Amino acid sequence: MLRALPLLVLTALSMGFEWPGRVHRLTYELGRADVARRREIVRQLGGYTAAVVEGALLGALEDEDPEVRRETARVAGRVRLLEAAPILRDWLDDTEPATRATAARALGEIGEPRARDALVRLLADTNAEVRRTAVRALAVLGSKEAVPALLGTLD
């Protein structure tokens, strides 16, 4: 039996075994690491389901570094973290165009229907990338109510 133990461990590792405390360790490290490492941790958290990483991502949306926050928004959209939607809706009024665009994209990926009106408002944004992202987000949401606003932007 002892001779088979190393083979059993190698088999478990090759099958994608995940240490159960890994998300907890990453969450702990997220509050203490430098900016580059925090961005990397957020990317790693994107490999889990929203239910598993909800607390870590919601905390990272409040990070002091704007790049960490934007990376977190991208991951929240990818894992469809609905609980992030209220924070991301607030970001649609941010002074930074990159933040508005990232929030719009994430809200579209999450499928947050309550963001529709705010996304329609972004169609008149002064930044072209924000407008393009709002159009894509509205298309993903599949909103019939946004069609008149989208047609109005063609002018």
Side-chain angles (χ1 to χ4, degrees), residues 8 22-23 25-26 41 44 46 52-53 56 62-63 80 98 100 109 117-118 123 129-130 143-144 155:
L8 182 63
R22 185 154 193 263
V23 172
R25 184 184 57 77
L26 289 172
I41 290 169
Q44 289 178 20
V52 172
V53 295
E62 304 294 335
D63 194 277
R80 292 189 165 86
R100 293 192 306 274
E109 290 175 341
D117 292 340
L123 295 174
E129 180 58 27
V130 172
S143 169
K144 291 180 192 174
D155 294 334

Side-chain angles (χ1 to χ4, degrees), residues 18-90:
E18 184 71 35
W19 174 56
R22 185 154 193 263
V23 172
H24 178 70
R25 184 184 57 77
L26 289 172
T27 303
Y28 176 81
E29 191 178 348
L30 192 57
R32 289 154 183 77
D34 63 56
V35 172
R37 177 67 182 138
R38 291 195 313 266
R39 282 193 306 256
E40 178 55 34
I41 290 169
V42 167
R43 284 186 206 106
Q44 289 178 20
L45 292 172
Y48 295 89
T49 64
V52 172
V53 295
E54 176 184 338
L57 292 180
L58 290 175
L61 283 171
E62 304 294 335
D63 194 277
E64 64 187 32
D65 183 74
E67 280 303 315
V68 172
R69 290 192 306 267
R70 285 192 284 267
E71 185 62 36
T72 304
R74 286 188 279 275
V75 170
R78 199 171 28 241
V79 301
R80 292 189 165 86
L81 181 62
L82 186 60
E83 292 77 7
I87 296 168
L88 295 171
R89 281 195 312 264
D90 288 344

Side-chain angles (χ1 to χ4, degrees), residues 80-147:
R80 292 189 165 86
L81 181 62
L82 186 60
E83 292 77 7
I87 296 168
L88 295 171
R89 281 195 312 264
D90 288 344
W91 288 15
L92 296 176
D93 295 322
D94 196 90
T95 58
E96 221 18 75
T99 301
R100 293 192 306 274
T102 302
R105 182 175 296 116
L107 287 164
E109 290 175 341
I110 290 170
E112 171 56 286
R114 290 176 290 191
R116 185 176 297 119
D117 292 340
L119 290 169
V120 167
R121 265 195 344 265
L122 286 185
L123 295 174
D125 197 274
T126 57
N127 182 279
E129 180 58 27
V130 172
R131 292 190 305 269
R132 280 191 291 274
T133 305
V135 167
R136 284 191 290 266
L138 287 165
V140 170
L141 286 176
S143 169
K144 291 180 192 174
E145 295 84 7
V147 171

